[in-house]
Amino acid sequence: MKTFLCRCGNRLFFDNTQCLKCNREVAFSLDGAQLRTLDDVRKSKKSPEHPCANYGSGLCNWLSDTKNSLCLACRLNVETPSGAESSELLGNMETAKRRLLFTLHALKLPIVPQTENPAGLGFALRRGTAEAPVITGHADGLITLDLNEADPAKRAEIRDRLGEDYRTLLGHFRHESGHYYWMLFFASEVEKVSFREMFGDERADYAQALSRHYDSPELNYENTHISSYATSHPWEDWAESWAHYLHIVDSWETAYAFGLRTGDKDTAHDSARFNALLDGWCELMIALNSMNRSMGQDDAYPFSLAPAVRKKLCFVADTVHKKASSISLG
């Protein structure tokens, strides 16, 4: 994630609604990929944007176009809980979701609300209970997430119970979005050929595959997969690899914004260029993990990129590079 500058020269961050130096209100413009002061938005006669109807609620800091009262991020929500007790959790969810959307937009991937196109993308943010638990997942463009995981303590409890080294809201959004874009990238049997060569045959029974995984998780996966869960089924291998690709794209841009790397700023590489980028990425993550250890913290990046894993990440990068801007929702 890059940083931004206020008119006064102060550094701004993606989630800001106000500059802490000059006190100007700011809002994020997705089309311009920048934070704009509301003074400039309101004064501009040519600006097609205005603050989202949810701006100032603590849930949104985006601008919308003149055709819609809600910004794109808010229009993607198909279902959200009501009540003050869910407000903070929903805010945490929205923060993660908007970071996902920033990267998807930068990669020129289609982001169309399901309410505007049946083939589009939608989010159902539900708060599960013991009697009616919410299962995180994707079905035909609708991504469902359990709002309870927006509570760090509950998420840590689930992470420990499942034996996962890495479990975040942003990781959930990225992983589930991978299932959605898989449908768009590999819609035909011809397009599925290259996928199957890299990840395996997705026609294998999905329910049985997940049942086997939860009964006996694969522990020796590092040489072939990015995570244990990725071993369960080709769809999950793709989604885990996709999420990791997005992790790298966002983190690489953050490193660039703070001067921690130089050179090529572009991250939407074909496979050859992305493979070269991974060399620098591994060095950067060694430094990040070392910094964490110096602070007495666990590694920020608990992953190992074996050659087979790198090939899958490069396949994802190449797929985005070749197909992202040409996808049609019909």
Side-chain angles (χ1 to χ4, degrees):
M1 178 63 66
K2 66 180 183 179
T3 59
F4 310 87
L5 288 177
C6 180
R7 281 179 55 191
C8 71
N10 188 42
R11 190 192 293 270
L12 298 173
F13 299 92
F14 182 61
D15 302 316
N16 285 158
T17 56
Q18 187 176 43
C19 174
L20 297 180
K21 183 177 180 180
C22 69
N23 294 321
R24 287 186 175 93
E25 291 183 298
V26 297
F28 179 71
S29 167
L30 183 61
D31 288 339
Q34 63 179 329
L35 280 170
R36 301 182 61 193
T37 68
L38 292 193
D39 286 344
D40 288 342
V41 172
R42 289 162 179 156
K43 289 178 181 178
S44 175
K45 296 180 180 179
K46 297 181 180 180
S47 176
E49 297 177 307
H50 60 86
C52 173
N54 287 332
Y55 183 91
S57 65
L59 302 177
C60 180
N61 71 327
W62 281 28
L63 296 170
S64 183
D65 57 48
T66 54
K67 297 179 182 179
N68 298 282
S69 61
L70 295 174
C71 70
L72 176 61
C74 289
R75 298 203 312 276
L76 288 168
N77 288 341
V78 174
E79 180 181 341
T80 57
S82 59
E85 69 279 2
S86 298
S87 180
E88 182 178 353
L89 300 181
L90 188 56
N92 292 341
M93 280 285 189
E94 285 295 323
T95 296
K97 185 186 77 178
R98 287 159 197 270
R99 283 183 173 267
L100 166 71
L101 298 180
F102 179 93
T103 305
L104 297 180
H105 183 264
L107 293 173
K108 297 181 173 58
L109 289 159
I111 310 171
V112 179
Q114 209 172 61
T115 53
E116 300 169 17
N117 186 319
L121 180 63
F123 295 94
L125 308 179
R126 300 168 179 164
R127 192 166 191 179
T129 64
E131 297 75 23
V134 170
I135 304 301
T136 294
H138 164 268
D140 298 324
L142 182 64
I143 292 174
T144 300
L145 294 174
D146 183 4
L147 200 66
N148 289 309
E149 288 220 36
D151 181 335
K154 291 185 178 180
R155 189 169 63 256
E157 179 186 336
I158 297 172
R159 183 183 63 224
D160 292 341
R161 186 174 73 246
L162 296 180
E164 297 178 345
D165 293 328
Y166 180 88
R167 188 180 183 93
T168 68
L169 294 182
L170 185 51
H172 282 326
F173 276 105
R174 286 172 173 164
H175 175 99
E176 298 304 335
S177 74
H179 290 301
Y180 171 67
Y181 286 104
W182 184 90
M183 295 190 333
L184 302 185
F185 285 137
F186 305 105
S188 71
E189 286 300 311
V190 172
E191 291 169 320
K192 290 184 177 73
V193 172
S194 60
F195 170 83
R196 290 167 182 162
E197 290 174 350
M198 181 61 64
F199 293 94
D201 194 338
E202 83 290 347
R203 292 169 293 188
D205 189 283
Y206 182 69
Q208 289 183 8
L210 288 190
S211 178
R212 284 194 300 269
H213 169 74
Y214 287 121
D215 287 342
S216 181
E218 177 60 57
L219 300 179
N220 299 313
Y221 61 84
E222 288 89 348
N223 290 331
T224 56
H225 296 77
I226 192 62
S227 69
S228 176
Y229 190 53
T231 68
S232 63
H233 190 274
W235 278 337
E236 299 304 341
D237 195 5
W238 161 268
E240 287 286 88
S241 299
W242 169 270
H244 207 84
Y245 167 71
L246 296 186
H247 292 334
I248 293 172
V249 168
D250 193 5
S251 300
W252 201 240
E253 184 175 49
T254 303
Y256 192 95
F258 285 94
L260 299 179
R261 73 176 184 91
T262 58
D264 190 358
K265 185 179 179 180
D266 182 25
T267 51
H269 298 319
D270 57 23
S271 58
R273 292 172 65 200
F274 194 76
N275 189 50
L277 178 150
L278 287 176
D279 292 333
W281 168 255
C282 290
E283 287 298 313
L284 180 64
M285 290 303 100
I286 289 172
L288 179 61
N289 285 344
S290 297
M291 288 293 293
N292 264 35
R293 292 174 189 179
S294 295
M295 296 295 293
Q297 299 290 330
D298 294 335
D299 285 353
Y301 187 75
F303 300 99
S304 175
L305 300 187
V309 174
R310 288 177 64 131
K311 286 183 180 179
K312 292 175 183 178
L313 292 174
C314 290
F315 180 90
V316 174
D318 204 42
T319 301
V320 172
H321 179 76
K322 292 178 178 178
K323 297 183 178 182
S325 59
S326 62
I327 293 176
S328 173
L329 299 187

